[in-house]
Amino acid sequence: MFDFLARKTRAMRASARWFALVFVTQVFTVVSTGVAVGYLLVFPVVFAFAYHNSNAPRDGLLNEYGREVDKIEYSVARAFTKSFDDSISAEDRCVDPHRVFWFTSLLGVASTAAGLLCITAIERHRIQRGGGWAIGLAMGGRRVDAMANLDQRRVINVVEEVSIAYGTTPPTVFILPAEMGINVFAAGLTPEDCILCITDGAVQYLKRDEMQAVVAHEMSHLIHGDTLLGTRMTAILLGLQSIRVLAEMLFTLGRDLADADLRSCVLGYLSMLVGAVLWPFGLFGVLAATVLTMSIGRSRETVADAEAVARTRNPQPLANALRRIWGHPAGGSVRHPMTSLIAPMLFVEPSITHRWFSTHPPLQDRIAAIDPAGDTVPIYHDDVLVAPSHNESRPAAEIMNFVFAGALLTSDQPRSKRPDSKTLDPDQFAAASAVILSALSACDGETTISDYEFMRGWAQLGLGEANRISADHLDDALFREATETLTAATPPQKQRVLAAIANTISSDGRMSPEEAAMLETVQAACQVS
């Protein structure tokens, strides 16, 4: 029998080593970038010393070409070039460039470290304040309540059972509708904020014991703080990426200045030079940290597998769940545009093929490690009907991410810390939502796709049947009244409206200026105080 405790211990040690390597990579990137900055600063500092020590009068002087030049300019240029001539004694030079390099390098390292720490802290705070609920709603999830159907109620019972085994509060359960791939993910940084999102495919095709094993796997991520670890790693990656972004900005700015006019040509070439020097260091930091983050994700998945087997006391259900996903036509796919952002949180890799940058070990390796003596062949489904892919275009994905970013920003506080507020009357909430979605669907004119855009957003709310309000019955006053009504809604209601708006706007794969203006108004009304 496989020693799960030993496997868990080895995986946790490997995870600690990978995290240490990420820290080393971050330090190396900071030091190398700081030294490069220090090297670039040597030249303006030496020039400043040369200019300060120049006492030449402003009388004309003829150079070797017979042209009259300013004596100060000539003296500064001569002192600057002499500073880098090692054959001249230090007393005869305005400053020693080697000594300057040490000071500028220390300044560059300190400035780079301070900038990265500041950016990392800001990004970490921005990610943390979104919370698990915002992520679940942004993924198009719907909360499962006591009035759910039998299959969804079974999921709630399983989550409660596993939570008792872990001795923790059950997370809120969300269902991802129309996602026929078998996958699950957990999100949240506090017990009040934790959620468990399960796809429709997992609800339909996983047996009860398999569902228990999968939920135990995800609960392990919550108990061991893997979501917090993921938040830290994401913030570190964004901080390291800022070096590459800054380098690209400097290079682009320099190119524009060089093309503008002759006066700014020199400044433009200097900016391009600085950007070209910094870019390789930023790129190395991002690539190295990305690879190490993927490695950490794989080791944490191994820990979660071992923990799930230890809690359920049976390796076969978890292995069978992985075999069932392996044989499923849709695998563990999740077709939402935000899937790439939450891919490390998922139970299995969302893509069918395993890649070098995959955050999860291959299914075959996980099955063999969990149950070496069991079957290692896929479990195929004969009655699976896979929902057709929406084939969301890149503009549509960008639109949905932009709207969902607004949803993430509306959940600044955990639910337990938010001030008490009265629930908006369901009829008023439905009426206000209908007006907003109707106005958005009519931005491009009354077309055959307007009804589709409205129903695509309305279906996200789950409020039953409704008809779109025609453009003839809409005006600015009615739209303002609807947005003012939303200010009295609860945070979950506001997040549901923003998720519905995302579905409506992204229907045609683009966002018009009118839709952007309406979205800004609604997001302002949905800010949580």
Side-chain angles (χ1 to χ4, degrees), residues 121-131 234 238 405 408-409:
I122 293 173
E123 291 296 336
R124 181 179 175 183
H125 174 71
R126 185 183 65 82
I127 295 172
Q128 284 181 336
R129 71 178 182 177
T234 302
L238 292 172
L408 291 172
L409 295 176

Side-chain angles (χ1 to χ4, degrees), residues 428 432 435-436 475-487:
Q428 293 181 334
V435 171
I436 293 173
D475 53 26
D476 292 340
L478 185 61
F479 183 81
R480 285 196 300 270
E481 182 180 354
T483 53
E484 290 173 0
T485 302
L486 285 182
T487 58

Side-chain angles (χ1 to χ4, degrees), residues 336-359:
H336 198 279
M338 279 188 65
T339 302
S340 60
L341 300 180
I342 57 99
M345 304 180 188
L346 293 171
F347 175 62
V348 295
E349 193 75 23
S351 62
I352 298 177
T353 58
H354 184 77
R355 297 165 296 175
W356 190 59
F357 284 102
S358 297
T359 56

